[in-house]
Amino acid sequence: MGKYVGVDALKTAEGTVEVTQEGEEREEPSQTRPKKINPTDWDAELLVPPHNAQNVREVERLHSQHPAHESSLMIAENRLLCELIPLRAFGDIRYKMPAKVLRSIARLCGLPPSYPVTPRFYISPPYLFATPQVVCHRLNPTRDRFVILASDGLWDMLTPKQAVSVVAQHYLDYHGNPSLAGPRDTAASRLIRTALGGREMDPARIAMHLSVPANVARFYRDDITVQVIYPTP
């Protein structure tokens, strides 16, 4: 019953970028003034806010789908049912299926009777949905340069401004043609190296993060998935 949070699709057509998102992954389209060459001068624009407890509309949506007496129980410590941060996600059937079905699955999997099949206050599922939020952003050919799609593991380490600066520097390093970059220095890999190794992409720090045993790695970093898209108007 692991967690999977994903971006469904990104399409470009007639100067429009359509972004489909769910969970906590975020898209940051970079904007810049064409004559500026300093990557710190580039701006980040958030396309879709994270679907979590800080998103007022998401919380209101959740409350509207359940009885009023559950309102004080669904979000606790900024988590869904005091457990899950995203309010939209793939998988995580533990927050979607009826308790009876979950207990049957637990028996089929050989889980002990004491296993906590459902969260506390599991009254009227489903609480978690995989329905994506779709926004439409019209490209500005003089400003929009790229879109960063990344899971929350990246945003735990970098601010949107820092992430855009990293990709902007990569963009300038290859004279505005990122396709010239080899597979060992893509914009996405540079973002990950910066997140793990700091501004200098320190190899020792990166190695430390990657060598942490899987059973404790979550205490040091979350999973990081990154894509950088260069839309063509």
Side-chain angles (χ1 to χ4, degrees), residues 36-39 42 167-177:
K36 295 288 185 180
I37 60 173
N38 187 344
W42 293 48
V167 179
Q169 184 61 61
H170 182 272
Y171 184 84
L172 296 175
D173 287 347
Y174 291 96
H175 309 289
N177 187 2

Side-chain angles (χ1 to χ4, degrees), residues 61-71 74 124-127 129:
R61 175 191 62 78
L62 184 65
H63 286 170
S64 70
Q65 295 170 341
H66 296 272
H69 67 270
E70 289 191 63
S71 296
M74 286 186 290
S124 60
Y127 293 93
F129 292 84

Side-chain angles (χ1 to χ4, degrees), residues 170-206:
H170 182 272
Y171 184 84
L172 296 175
D173 287 347
Y174 291 96
H175 309 289
N177 187 2
S179 63
L180 297 175
R184 298 178 65 86
D185 188 34
T186 64
S189 66
R190 192 178 289 192
L191 277 170
I192 294 174
R193 294 199 306 274
T194 303
L196 300 180
R199 186 174 180 180
E200 303 301 322
M201 295 182 282
D202 179 23
R205 286 180 59 183
I206 296 173

Side-chain angles (χ1 to χ4, degrees), residues 103-113 115:
R103 285 193 289 269
S104 297
I105 293 174
R107 286 196 298 271
L108 290 173
C109 293
L111 297 175
Y115 185 85

Side-chain angles (χ1 to χ4, degrees), residues 63-111:
H63 286 170
S64 70
Q65 295 170 341
H66 296 272
H69 67 270
E70 289 191 63
S71 296
S72 61
L73 306 175
M74 286 186 290
I75 302 292
E77 298 181 6
N78 287 326
R79 292 172 179 263
L80 179 64
L81 299 177
C82 201
E83 293 186 0
L84 196 66
I85 290 179
L87 302 184
R88 302 193 196 197
F90 290 119
D92 284 315
I93 63 171
R94 189 166 182 261
Y95 308 92
K96 296 177 178 179
M97 293 188 173
K100 183 177 180 180
V101 174
L102 292 175
R103 285 193 289 269
S104 297
I105 293 174
R107 286 196 298 271
L108 290 173
C109 293
L111 297 175

